[in-house]
Amino acid sequence: MPERRTVALVTLGCARNEVDSEELAGRLAADGWELVEDAADADVAVVNTCGFVEAAKKDSVDALLEANDLKDHGKTQAVVAVGCMAERYGKELAEALPEADGVLGFDDYADISNRLQTILNGGSVEAHTPRDRRKLLPISPAERQSADVALPGHAQAAEEPAPAPADLPDGLAPASGPRAPLRRRLDKSPVASVKLASGCDRRCSFCAIPSFRGSFISRRPSDVLGETRWLAEQGVKEIMLVSENNTSYGKDLGDIRLLETLLPELAAVDGIERVRVSYLQPAEMRPGLIDVLTSTPKVVPYFDLSFQHSAPDVLRAMRRFGDTDRFLELLDTIRSKAPQAGVRSNFIVGFPGEKESDFAELERFLTHARLDAIGVFGYSDEDGTEAAGYEDKLDEDTIAERLAHMQRLAEELTSQRAEERIGETLEVLVETVVPLDEAEEGEGAYGRAAHQAPETDGQVVFTDGAGLVPGRIVTAKVVGTLGVDLVAEPLGLELEEAAG
C-alpha cells in the first residue's frame, strides 16, 4: 500500500491564482496525494504566491514564513512557494527566503508531484531562473495555440490529450483536451472561476504581469465549456470567467468576437444559473459584446472595467487610451441597455507626472460615474516596468495624501450608489447561511446580486435567513444599506415552500 502523503494549498492573490491552485490540486490528487485544508495537517504546504504589487508580495512572504513556523509545531515537513512571485523572482526569492524548501515556477507544474516528493524526501529542487515569458510564445497570436509552453490553468500542450488515469479520484475534472487541466475543487462554494485565457499583450507602463504571465493565449471554447459542465455537476451555480484581459478572447483563435458566441453557450449549461465576466478593457469594448452582456439570459450585466485613470495625459503615460468623457459615454451606453448593471474599476493615483489638474479630472470622473465598487491604489515602482524609469516622480507624502483623499471619496460614492439601489428587486445567490445557534437573532444569511462579484464588490445581507440555503437564487427587495453592502428582504419564499 503506498505511503500516505498529504498536501495543503494556501492561495493568495486573484481568482486566476485560485484556478491555478485547483489545477495543482487536480494533478496532485491524480497522483495519489491527499489534499487537506489546514497546512498544519499537511506533510507539504504549498503557498501559491502573488507577485503583483508590493503589498501582495509582502502578504506572500508572510504566508510562507507562517507556514514555515508549522514545521516546529505541526506535522508539516516542507514549505514550497509556487505562483506569480515564485515565477517572477525564482532564485532571488529562494536566496532571500531560505525558509522555503522549494521555489517552483510555472514550468514545474506539469511535474509538481515529483517535485514535492523530492523535497519531502529531503532532496533539493533547483529554483528556476526567471525569464520574460512573453518571449516564449510566437509574436503572431495565430501561431500560439500550437506552442509547447507551460500555461497555468491550461495544462500542457500536446499532440494528443493524455489519457486520464483509469482510477481517477472522485471530484476530479478529467483533462478533456490538449490544454484542459485536471482540476480539483478546494471549497464547496456555489461560485467558481473558469480561466478563459492567460497572459496579456498590452504594454501598460506600470504593469509587470505580462513579463511573468506571458503573452495572451486563449483557451479553446470546448475546454471552457467542458470545465463549466463539470463544475455544474459539482454543484456550482455561478461561474466567473477570468484572465488578464477577457476582451481579447479569441483573437489568437481567429475570431475576436468569440466571447459573444461562447457566453450564450455557457449560460445554457444545465445547472448554471449565472455567468459573470471579469477583467474587461474599456478601449476594447465592442457594441456586440455590450449587447450580449446586457441581454443574454443568465449572463449578468456586470462590467469590471479597467479604467486606471481618466486624465488623458496620465493615461497616455500609462500607455492606455481614453478620457473622462469617453468613459462616461461608455457607461451611459451600458446603462441605457441595462439600468441595473453593475460596474467596478480600479484606479492608480500619484502616477509619475500626475498634476493636480489630472487628479481633479479623475475626481470629476468618479463623481459622475456612479460605480458600484472602486479600488484605489497609490503608485509605486514595479521592477522591470517602463514607469519605474520615468522622471517626474511624485514624493511619497503627496501620493499618500492623494490616496487618502480618493479612498475617502470612493467610500462615500460607493455608499451613495448602494443607497440608489434601495427599492430595487434583485436576484440574489445565497452563499452563506449562519446556523441559528451562531447568529445573534435568528438565522443570518448572505449572498450576492448580479452586480456584485465575489469578494470585491460587497454583498447582500438578508433580513431573514429562514428557508435559505447556499446555492439558491432568491428574489429580494433592497430595504437598506450598510456601506456598500445591501440589506434585502427575501420575497415569495412562503409561497414557494407552500407550492413545494
Side-chain angles (χ1 to χ4, degrees), residues 457-470:
D457 299 345
Q459 62 183 352
V460 172
V461 181
F462 288 101
T463 56
D464 184 2
L468 300 181
V469 293

Side-chain angles (χ1 to χ4, degrees), residues 310-364:
S310 73
D313 289 347
V314 176
L315 286 167
R316 302 305 173 269
M318 290 179 168
R319 300 210 178 278
R320 297 177 67 84
F321 306 94
D323 55 51
T324 295
D325 292 334
R326 276 188 249 182
F327 290 163
L328 290 176
E329 287 175 7
L330 173 60
L331 295 178
D332 286 343
T333 299
I334 290 169
R335 289 174 175 138
S336 70
K337 297 175 181 294
Q340 288 187 323
V343 186
R344 83 166 326 273
S345 191
N346 294 323
F347 300 89
I348 298 172
V349 298
F351 195 78
E354 182 189 64
K355 302 182 291 293
E356 288 188 10
S357 58
D358 297 324
F359 187 70
E361 184 67 3
L362 175 57
E363 185 168 344
R364 180 172 80 90

Side-chain angles (χ1 to χ4, degrees), residues 294 301 303 331-343 369-370 372 417 420-421 424 426 451:
T294 54
F303 294 82
L331 295 178
D332 286 343
T333 299
I334 290 169
R335 289 174 175 138
S336 70
K337 297 175 181 294
Q340 288 187 323
V343 186
R370 296 171 55 235
D372 293 278
R417 178 65 181 130
E420 290 178 19
R421 293 189 179 273
E424 287 186 3
L426 307 174
H451 70 278

